[in-house]
Amino acid sequence: MDHSAHTHQAAPSTEPVNPHNHHAREHEGHNHEGMIADYRRRFWFVLIATVPILALAPMIQNWLGLQDSLRFSGDRVVLAALSSLVFFVGGWPFLKGFWQEITGRGIGMMTLISVAIITAYAYSVGMVAIGSDETFFWELATLIAVMLLGHWIEMKSVLGAGRALEKLASLMPDEAHLLAEDGSVTDVSVSTLRGGEQLLIKPGEKVPADGIIVRGESSLNESMLTGESKPIFKSIDAQVIGGSINGEGSLTIRVDKTGDETFLSSVIKLVKEAQASKSRTQDLANSAAKWLTFIALGGGVSTFLFWTFFTGQGFGFAMARTVTVMVIACPHALGLAVPLVVARSTAIAASNGLLIRDRTAFEEARNIDAIIFDKTGTLTRGEFGITDTLIFDNSISGADVVAYAASIEAHSEHPIAQGIVRDSKQSWPVEKFRAIPGKGASGLVEGRDVKVVSPGYLRDHGIGMEDPRFEELSRQGKTVVFVLIDDDLAGAIALADIIREESPGAIRHLREIGIRCIMLTGDNRQVAEWVGKELGLDEVIAEVLPEEKAAKVREVQSRGLIVAMTGDGVNDAPALAQSNVGIAIGAGTDVAIETADIILVRSSPADVVAIIELARATYRKMMQNLAWATGYNTFAIPAAAGLFFPWGVVLTPALGAVFMSASTVICAVNAQLLKLNRHPASK
């Protein structure tokens, strides 16, 4: 489809963005939604009007043998009147686009559509005026209906691109608890903060601005912003990021940055810049339509001049040949060649849990050279699980060590604690439960004093730990907690973000088909290297700050590689927008999903394999359809112009319409033959 009549995606401004000042973007989105609604209304109007037009069309009546039962006095006038409504109401966007293309000297699909519908309409009205049944009203109506549908569907896919910024802005709360010097608390709008104020942040609330903790301690979930897989324990003088989620403790912070200066605003700015710099691939069908426009227009004029001035056939014969050329070159098949395949591939993708939001990027997926994966929530599940259990007291089993720990940790909401509880097969009641701030917890289990503590607790209490197994687990970046029973070291439990079951197979298959697999994460290098080794990745890029992720994607692109990015967090949004193809894990944040071109509903990295296979199959079908839609004109246009007249072969306008329709049917059938043959790694 051509984009001349409506902007495909306006390049966003790269000025800093205040998350609370997004009315302009909302207004722009409403305007775009209005255009989509306009196409939708026009399509349904034309579709309804097309039914009686088909019933009144002489050619359709003859095909169905219903001319006697459907004919009535004045039926041709009614047909012309209905077709006039379709032409002016349904055809208006194309006629407007035609004018824009002519004045902008960018002839394309709009010009060809308009020339075709104007020719068909003008000729048909003329034929009705002289009492002839040689009209093209039904071709006119169906052509306009198909083109409206195509533009409607396409514009809907474009709309989502601008919503990522609104999703980002919505992460910041609208109100903050302002703490006065006398200790009183007042709720104020975040937009009124200027820096230096003290704010109270209650457990479970979002942090309203970047700041410094001046009182309290708590674990903060920054995974949506930094990619860090576990909540980070913070106390006085630690920095907090606006938009992160406070955990179990109450905090007082001093506002450090507000508005355009906040971390979240910088992420929004990066997303805008990446979207603005994203290349816009010209539509294959639009390029072919431009050439077909010149061929059709030139052929029509040449045909008319030749038969009028160089033969004795007369004006009527010349006009019939000219109209036949224009009708047979009508872009029914060309207009549907790509959209039919896209509609089919989109349906196939949706039924397989692959949602395509951007057609151009989806087509580009067939050329991917490298895929950059986020770690947390993409290659891994984003939740902690037990990977190793160490035993220091042979009188107790590994299962019991885990069970004792799970009994204590059942009273904690911390992700590491929950990971132990999930993986334990049993647990027991706890008495005298007590939290050890920043170090662990303790309690009486089955009459025994049990403590589940961090390595810091061992250091503070002079408990030695020089086991080489612990050193190895630490090198892998795993989180290790120790279990003390009656103050004796009984065992240790190592936890890590669990690798998804589908990840190894997906990485293996991608490498088999020549695609470089890279992991990009904000997590520490030890964790990243361990995951990379487990999966057999080609490259691991770790400890990357959120604002650096898009730059890292650009670095990989600078090697001459076409890059896909797969992620699920807000911190991945700029990188998703910067990449040639952005793929969001469906279980991730709305922001990542709105920024991405393709969403994997099942959150399975194996579906990346499926989307590439489908993109390649879709491209083959599109090329087949485009080759047919343009190639058949090589024969049809000369035949319509009367090239074979000396041998008694003449295509009437009606027969030209049949050829035009046949080419459309062939493209439609070919599109329906598209299938997704899933590789075992993708199932």
Side-chain angles (χ1 to χ4, degrees):
M1 290 297 165
D2 179 58
H3 305 284
S4 303
H6 55 84
T7 304
H8 180 71
Q9 181 180 326
S13 163
T14 56
E15 295 177 4
V17 179
N18 186 327
H20 298 281
N21 295 333
H22 49 272
H23 299 297
R25 286 196 306 281
E26 289 180 350
H27 179 67
E28 183 180 322
H30 291 323
N31 284 344
H32 200 82
E33 288 175 344
M35 293 175 69
I36 293 173
D38 182 59
Y39 271 96
R40 183 177 66 244
R41 285 192 298 268
R42 291 178 191 273
F43 166 72
W44 286 115
F45 174 83
V46 170
L47 188 65
I48 292 169
T50 298
V51 175
I53 288 173
L54 289 171
L56 293 172
M59 183 184 294
I60 303 295
Q61 292 175 352
N62 291 335
W63 284 350
L64 300 177
L66 299 174
Q67 57 268 43
D68 293 333
S69 58
L70 293 178
R71 293 295 296 266
F72 60 87
S73 178
D75 58 350
R76 296 301 176 258
V77 176
V78 174
L79 176 60
L82 286 170
S83 299
S84 296
L85 283 172
V86 167
F87 177 75
F88 288 108
V89 175
W92 173 248
F94 308 112
L95 298 173
K96 181 182 177 183
F98 168 51
W99 176 252
Q100 291 174 342
E101 286 185 351
I102 294 298
T103 55
R105 297 182 180 180
I107 292 176
M109 181 73 85
M110 289 295 181
T111 299
L112 191 53
I113 295 171
S114 297
V115 169
I117 64 176
I118 290 170
T119 301
Y121 177 71
Y123 179 80
S124 299
V125 169
M127 290 296 101
V128 170
I130 64 173
S132 172
D133 282 346
E134 201 82 13
T135 61
F136 297 99
F137 286 131
W138 74 268
E139 294 90 347
L140 170 74
T142 54
L143 172 62
I144 290 175
V146 167
M147 293 304 166
L148 286 172
L149 178 62
H151 277 66
W152 172 23
I153 292 171
E154 185 179 29
M155 289 181 72
K156 281 182 69 176
S157 70
V158 171
L159 180 62
R163 289 185 176 158
L165 303 181
E166 293 174 28
K167 293 287 185 181
L168 279 167
S170 69
L171 285 180
M172 197 74 85
D174 292 322
E175 290 191 338
H177 308 308
L178 181 63
L179 194 62
E181 292 184 3
D182 62 2
S184 62
V185 177
T186 308
D187 286 348
V188 299
S189 172
V190 172
S191 60
T192 63
L193 299 177
R194 294 293 177 263
E197 299 95 338
Q198 289 199 359
L199 305 178
L200 174 66
I201 304 168
K202 300 174 183 178
E205 290 186 336
K206 288 182 179 179
V207 177
D210 292 6
I212 308 292
I213 297 176
V214 295
R215 191 178 303 112
E217 56 183 29
S218 182
S219 295
L220 283 101
N221 184 351
E222 298 178 349
S223 61
M224 308 279 260
L225 298 159
T226 65
E228 176 60 51
S229 54
K230 55 186 177 183
I232 302 168
F233 182 79
K234 295 189 177 185
S235 56
I236 294 174
D237 293 334
Q239 291 187 331
V240 293
I241 301 173
S244 58
I245 301 171
N246 186 24
E248 69 284 353
S250 180
L251 297 175
T252 301
I253 69 165
R254 183 180 68 253
V255 177
D256 185 30
K257 295 177 182 177
T258 62
D260 298 339
E261 299 175 343
T262 62
F263 172 82
L264 187 59
S265 287
S266 68
V267 173
I268 293 173
K269 181 173 179 286
L270 287 170
V271 173
K272 287 167 75 72
E273 289 175 345
Q275 286 182 340
S277 62
K278 198 168 185 177
S279 63
R280 294 167 177 82
T281 307
Q282 186 184 19
D283 203 354
L284 288 171
N286 193 43
S287 181
K290 183 178 292 187
W291 287 105
L292 184 54
T293 301
F294 293 130
I295 293 169
L297 293 175
V301 171
S302 301
T303 298
F304 181 77
L305 294 175
F306 175 78
W307 289 109
T308 301
F309 298 107
F310 297 101
T311 70
Q313 297 301 320
F315 178 83
F317 184 87
M319 192 63 193
R321 301 285 70 73
T322 301
V323 171
T324 305
V325 169
M326 298 311 303
V327 170
I328 210 165
C330 190
H332 247 106
L334 186 58
L336 287 170
V338 172
L340 278 174
V341 177
V342 170
R344 173 68 176 162
S345 63
T346 303
I348 291 173
S351 65
N352 283 273
L354 320 169
L355 302 183
I356 299 167
R357 293 188 62 252
D358 186 286
R359 173 163 63 85
T360 304
F362 170 64
E363 292 168 13
E364 183 76 351
R366 77 183 197 283
N367 296 319
I368 289 171
D369 300 309
I371 295 182
I372 298 176
F373 290 94
D374 174 48
K375 179 185 78 70
T376 307
T378 303
L379 291 175
T380 65
R381 281 191 277 173
E383 61 183 38
F384 281 85
I386 297 173
T387 59
D388 306 86
T389 304
L390 307 182
I391 303 300
F392 304 128
D393 181 350
N394 292 327
S395 66
I396 189 170
S397 68
D400 283 346
V401 167
V402 173
Y404 276 117
S407 301
I408 297 294
E409 299 289 33
H411 294 260
S412 172
E413 294 298 321
H414 196 283
I416 291 175
Q418 292 302 302
I420 295 174
V421 173
R422 263 195 311 271
D423 289 353
S424 177
K425 294 181 179 178
Q426 62 178 329
S427 63
W428 301 293
V430 177
E431 298 175 11
K432 299 182 179 179
F433 174 84
R434 181 175 64 89
I436 307 173
K439 298 294 191 299
S442 67
L444 288 177
V445 181
E446 299 285 278
R448 308 186 72 176
D449 178 28
V450 178
K451 294 184 179 70
V452 181
V453 296
S454 67
Y457 180 91
L458 300 189
R459 288 192 297 270
D460 292 348
H461 290 76
I463 302 174
M465 173 44 59
E466 297 178 357
D467 192 302
R469 294 175 298 173
F470 169 65
E471 297 297 329
E472 176 60 26
L473 294 173
S474 297
R475 277 195 298 271
Q476 292 175 358
K478 295 179 180 178
T479 299
V480 181
V481 297
F482 294 89
V483 180
L484 281 70
I485 299 178
D486 296 328
D487 289 326
D488 292 328
L489 193 57
I493 300 170
L495 300 100
D497 193 359
I498 302 299
I499 294 173
R500 291 184 184 275
E501 294 178 2
E502 311 94 338
S503 295
I507 298 299
R508 185 171 58 252
H509 181 58
L510 289 168
R511 295 186 68 194
E512 286 173 359
I513 60 178
I515 295 176
R516 185 172 182 81
C517 296
I518 303 169
M519 185 171 74
L520 180 66
T521 179
D523 248 341
N524 69 68
R525 183 161 299 281
Q526 292 96 327
V527 171
E529 293 289 353
W530 174 71
V531 173
K533 185 178 179 181
E534 289 289 308
L535 293 176
L537 296 168
D538 293 293
E539 188 176 344
V540 172
I541 305 173
E543 298 177 357
V544 180
L545 295 173
E547 59 267 29
E548 296 174 344
K549 283 197 170 185
K552 292 296 182 182
V553 173
R554 278 195 295 274
E555 283 180 20
V556 178
Q557 290 172 323
S558 69
R559 304 176 198 172
L561 302 176
I562 294 175
V563 177
M565 172 72 194
T566 303
D568 72 330
V570 171
N571 61 300
D572 300 319
L576 286 168
Q578 174 62 42
S579 63
N580 300 86
V581 183
I583 303 173
I585 293 294
T589 68
D590 289 342
V591 179
I593 289 172
E594 289 290 352
T595 313
D597 305 305
I598 299 162
I599 299 104
L600 308 182
V601 175
R602 296 194 308 158
S603 300
S604 169
D607 280 348
V608 175
V609 178
I611 206 71
I612 292 173
E613 300 282 11
L614 182 60
R616 292 178 175 180
T618 298
Y619 179 74
R620 287 193 296 270
K621 284 296 179 188
M622 286 196 304
M623 293 307 295
Q624 290 167 7
N625 272 7
L626 283 171
W628 170 256
T630 55
Y632 99 102
N633 284 287
T634 305
F635 167 80
I637 290 178
L643 182 65
F644 305 113
F645 178 71
W647 294 275
V649 178
V650 178
L651 286 181
T652 64
L655 195 55
V658 171
F659 272 112
M660 178 200 70
S661 300
S663 67
T664 305
V665 171
I666 289 170
C667 285
V669 171
N670 189 45
Q672 290 303 309
L673 296 176
L674 177 66
K675 294 180 180 179
L676 171 61
N677 297 315
R678 274 186 176 272
H679 186 273
S682 304
K683 292 180 180 176

